[in-house]
Amino acid sequence: MLKSAQFYEVPQGSVLGPLLFLQYIAEVAEVLAAHGFKGHSYADDTQMYISVPAAEAVDAALRLSDCIVSVESWMSSHRLKMNPDKTQLLWIGTRPQLSKVAVNEVALSTGPLGFSTVVSNLGVLFSGGSRISERGGGKDEAPQEPRSSRRRREDRGIEGAEGVG
């Protein structure tokens, strides 16, 4: 009896492709929740985040590192691979709160990854100092802070965000 090879694929450009992929990786949310993180996915990008006071940044960074290791393990067991070149870390908070954060990098299986000052999410630039802008023409353009973010209270905590690409 001959066994035929089985392939699991969805044709490129298929309307079902993104939906089936999101269903395939739905368990990642459980992995994130097990470490106290929340997340969301858009196509093949997954973002995880947590809100903590500045005083808990060291603990949050350790939990983030453990969570990323668990996500990498889950992905490996499901024939997927995390792209470390597309992984970005960002502390978000007011400038006074960010000045209290002493964590500059997180240990990953591929080596340490430093926190960025600006990251891009679907064409929108986010900076750690609560500044958001549309992607400008050049990389050196500083994002402009919207008026509403300037009114935020100084006593809010910080947020650590990570994208898995």
Side-chain angles (χ1 to χ4, degrees), residues 29 32-33 35-41 45-52 60 63-64 67-68 71 88-92 115 121 158-164:
L32 300 179
H35 291 275
F37 285 83
K38 294 182 180 180
H40 65 271
S41 297
D45 289 331
T46 299
Q47 297 176 355
M48 51 195 275
Y49 45 90
I50 188 171
S51 180
V52 297
R63 288 175 39 210
L64 176 63
C67 187
I68 293 171
V71 169
Q88 299 175 309
L89 303 173
L90 178 69
W91 288 118
I92 299 174
F115 282 85
N121 179 23
I158 59 171
E159 226 175 89
E162 189 274 336
V164 178

Side-chain angles (χ1 to χ4, degrees), residues 83-115:
N83 186 345
D85 294 333
K86 290 186 175 182
T87 302
Q88 299 175 309
L89 303 173
L90 178 69
W91 288 118
I92 299 174
T94 62
R95 285 186 187 95
Q97 289 297 321
L98 290 173
S99 69
K100 300 174 187 176
V101 177
V103 180
N104 296 321
E105 63 185 25
V106 169
L108 303 180
S109 62
T110 57
L113 179 64
F115 282 85

Side-chain angles (χ1 to χ4, degrees), residues 8-22:
Y8 304 95
E9 60 183 56
V10 176
Q12 284 280 338
S14 165
V15 175
L16 288 176
L19 293 173
L20 292 173
F21 182 75
L22 288 174

